Amino acid sequence: MQIPYELALGWRYTRAGRATRRNGFISFISGVSMLGIALGVAALIIVLSVMNGFQKEVRDRMLSVVSHVEIFAPNGQAMQDVDTTMRQAKQHPEVIGAAPFVAAQGLIARGEDMKGVIVRGIDPEREGEVTDLAAANALVLQQLTPGSFNIVLGQELAHQMGVQVGDTVTLIAPSGQVTPAGVVPRLKQMTVAGTFDSGHYEYDSAMVMLHHEDAQRIFRLEGPTGIRLKLKNLHEAPRVVQELSGMITEFLYLRDWTQQNKTWFAAVQVEKRMMFIILTLIVAVAAFNLVSTLVMTVTDKRADIAILRTLGASPASIMGIFMVQGAMVGVIGTFAGLALGLLVACNIDVIVPAIEQALGASFLPKDIYLISKMPSEPQSSDIMPIAIISLILAFVATIYPSWRASRVNPAEALRYE
């Protein structure tokens, strides 16, 4: 099959000048444009992959404490029929685990120290079905038995309060009890049975767990205030919530994990969009360097253009030759950037430690950040738009110089040749 001469000439002009001094500068500018596109695409892939990795790490740490879906009664009241609601929820094919819980707020006091805490009453036997934190701390949570009034504190909270396993703390319920002396808060001495470390400061510093029956007695509830569900696919949580709302007969509220941390996830998405826009500008600058490259090429090839026109080449063919040249630079630069970006993103767990060792520095100190290793998660939903935008920008940058080439007058171009 014969290759169209526009494609052959465009590819030849792309490679021209490497062996000749006269066209060497044009070839150098073309190489710089290609390198700029490649580095811009690679930077976009690496940065977005790292941001995806951070988002996944923080999300996984959140979901070790927060369930995929929560069903709860309004105003913190006890649910009327927990067993029936759990049975109805488990009928959904996406639900693989369910556990009752009591959610409340209170104060933890030890001596003169006092802190506001999130109180979570759990069923230790079922909690492991819905959260990874309970599964990882099963031995500690087994000590939460009905009537024992044992309590498990977040590791950071225990450190701030200065308590250890076996110490006693006072749990203060916000709603008081009426006595002849007036309304006084309800107090209960609790024994610290252990601590947990979720890896998320918000929960480690402000959450305590106890058996749900003990929590019901302290907060004067007739039953659990809600049910926590675990799904096969956490990304299906919004859809599952919509479907469960039509399956559950009792009047209850439902929310998924994205609603519980809506502000944080919205902020991450805004950051990703801004980084995408900023780094796309780098690719745009590199792509529009093709304009200067093609303008210089057109000026250098005026005689060739005139000869082709006298041999019968149409203006559209001349325009196609130079568009092929610019497109080749864009395609090669884009695919080189994809290869480089994916290579770095997929091996960043090896590259970053090597750089840290060479520089004698730590980019993610363990005592400051939640994670100590640079995470990365390349996603096709990010990579495909990057490649398409880069190719479009390179193509658009070739239009005007190619159109100028097609307008060259053969007589004027050959006058001084």
Side-chain angles (χ1 to χ4, degrees), residues 166-385:
D167 293 343
T168 59
V169 295
T170 302
L171 177 61
I172 305 172
S175 57
Q177 56 187 6
V178 180
T179 67
V183 179
V184 297
R186 292 196 305 276
L187 310 177
K188 183 64 182 177
Q189 293 288 328
M190 309 288 291
T191 303
V192 178
T195 61
F196 65 86
D197 182 12
S198 67
H200 199 285
Y201 182 84
E202 179 182 352
Y203 300 109
D204 291 342
S205 63
M207 193 173 77
V208 300
M209 290 188 288
L210 61 157
H211 198 280
H212 70 90
E213 293 186 10
D214 292 347
Q216 290 167 208
R217 293 192 186 99
I218 295 172
F219 292 94
R220 292 186 175 181
L221 297 170
E222 297 179 357
T225 59
I227 298 171
R228 294 151 59 81
L229 305 178
K230 187 174 183 179
L231 309 180
K232 294 179 182 178
N233 185 356
L234 62 92
H235 299 290
E236 295 292 328
R239 177 181 64 84
V240 173
V241 165
Q242 293 292 330
E243 295 174 357
L244 284 175
S245 62
M247 297 173 59
I248 296 174
T249 55
E250 186 178 347
F251 176 72
L252 299 168
Y253 293 139
L254 291 89
R255 66 181 177 186
D256 60 82
W257 61 275
T258 60
Q259 294 173 315
Q260 296 182 56
N261 301 278
K262 190 174 182 179
T263 303
W264 185 84
F265 285 104
V268 171
Q269 291 302 319
V270 170
E271 290 176 2
K272 281 188 64 177
R273 293 191 191 100
M274 293 306 299
M275 290 301 298
F276 186 88
I277 293 171
I278 292 170
L279 293 176
T280 300
L281 294 177
I282 298 176
V283 179
V285 170
F288 281 98
N289 279 339
L290 291 173
V291 176
S292 60
T293 302
L294 291 179
V295 167
M296 295 173 66
T297 304
V298 169
T299 303
D300 185 66
K301 302 294 183 182
R302 286 173 63 88
D304 294 359
I305 295 170
I307 294 172
L308 288 172
R309 289 296 308 277
T310 57
L311 292 175
S314 64
S317 295
I318 300 298
M319 186 174 179
I321 291 171
F322 290 95
M323 290 191 71
V324 166
Q325 180 184 357
M328 285 292 182
V329 173
V331 169
I332 296 173
T334 299
F335 282 97
L338 287 174
L340 177 62
L342 290 174
L343 179 65
V344 174
C346 293
N347 296 279
I348 202 165
D349 55 338
V350 178
I351 296 172
V352 172
I355 296 175
E356 289 179 338
Q357 186 175 2
L359 299 178
S362 178
F363 298 149
L364 296 171
K366 294 182 180 180
D367 56 341
I368 298 177
Y369 297 98
L370 292 175
I371 54 181
S372 58
K373 295 182 179 179
M374 187 76 73
S376 178
E377 187 185 12
Q379 295 181 356
S380 58
S381 58
D382 294 327
I383 295 171
M384 291 301 294

Side-chain angles (χ1 to χ4, degrees), residues 92-111:
H92 195 286
E94 283 288 331
V95 178
I96 59 175
F101 74 96
V102 173
Q105 294 182 347
L107 293 173
I108 285 287
R110 177 175 169 81

